Amino acid sequence: MLSWGLLVLLGVVAGRYARELAGGFTPEPDDTRKEARAALRHTVGVVPVPRRPFVVEGVTGLLFGVLAWRYAATPELVPALLLAAWAGVVLTVTDLRTWRLPDVVTLPAYPVLLAALAPTGRLMVATACGLAMAGIYLVLWFGRPSGIGFGDVKLAGLVGLVSGAVSVDAAIVAGVGGQLLGGLWALGLLITRKGTRTSEFPFGPAMIAGALAALLAGA
């Protein structure tokens, strides 16, 4: 396992790529596949040097360092957690900017994370948690498609997969935490009069924050 300092540095570099990839998406692209190809081509050609304001790079580096420290006793989980953290940064920045969770990020994350979790001996439990959480969000989407996007359903499976690799309790905390944070966000919009009871807002960041809270708690 790399040292803590090197992992933080790796996170900063990874954050540069996360920032550029997220910046390649728009709210309403004419062709999502063309957009995805262009975003990927641009990101691959980026020089891995952080640039102002350094927020995404700094947050990613911090996440890499904190997760590596928190799971130092179970190093077999660290690669999957760092990959998930990077994808989470990309999706959070993208969703806040565009209200989208692009398939080019969420869908490839499934085989990548499954491969990273395969050597841990926790793949079966993690997969079961991922399927369960995706199923719950699918029901929510059917019940109120205006409140939950199908991108949230795809993200839910990833949240369940990663948190479930830690424990079933962590997956439960991640799921409940995401809903709670989303509810607080909606309440904040009401209090500040920036939204109404029927206002929509990007729910992905709340789900990702709930997952991160569960991972840091190690529930």
Side-chain angles (χ1 to χ4, degrees):
M1 178 62 63
L2 297 175
S3 70
W4 183 85
L6 286 176
L7 283 173
V8 171
L9 179 59
L10 177 63
V12 170
V13 173
R16 175 76 165 101
Y17 287 102
R19 176 179 175 176
E20 293 300 321
L21 181 58
F25 300 108
T26 58
E28 296 181 0
D30 294 328
D31 187 331
T32 56
R33 293 185 179 181
K34 183 178 179 180
E35 177 195 54
R37 289 194 295 267
L40 290 171
R41 281 197 301 267
H42 168 73
T43 303
V44 168
V46 165
V47 177
V49 177
R51 63 182 179 87
R52 295 179 185 275
F54 310 120
V55 175
V56 177
E57 292 91 333
V59 168
T60 310
L62 180 63
L63 287 176
F64 274 38
V66 170
L67 288 171
W69 167 78
R70 178 65 182 82
Y71 288 91
T74 52
E76 67 277 7
L77 284 176
V78 172
L81 296 180
L82 298 188
L83 288 168
W86 184 83
V89 169
V90 175
L91 292 170
T92 296
V93 175
T94 303
D95 205 14
L96 288 173
R97 285 183 58 255
T98 69
W99 290 33
R100 292 176 56 213
L101 295 168
D103 286 348
V104 71
V105 180
T106 54
L107 297 185
Y110 277 96
V112 170
L113 289 174
L114 288 170
L117 289 172
T120 67
R122 308 185 187 201
L123 185 58
M124 294 297 291
V125 174
T127 301
C129 289
L131 290 172
M133 195 170 297
I136 292 171
Y137 270 78
L138 185 61
V139 171
L140 293 174
W141 178 72
F142 271 118
R144 192 188 172 201
S146 61
I148 296 289
F150 198 64
D152 297 326
V153 177
K154 300 170 191 174
L155 176 59
L158 293 174
V159 168
L161 181 66
V162 175
S163 57
V166 174
S167 69
V168 174
D169 287 344
I172 294 172
V173 170
V176 174
Q179 290 292 318
L180 178 61
L181 291 172
L184 290 175
W185 191 338
L187 181 61
L189 292 176
L190 284 173
I191 292 174
T192 59
R193 297 184 178 179
K194 293 182 178 180
T196 66
R197 293 173 64 182
T198 58
S199 294
E200 298 180 11
F201 59 91
F203 199 69
M207 297 171 64
I208 292 168
L212 177 60
L215 294 178
L216 294 180

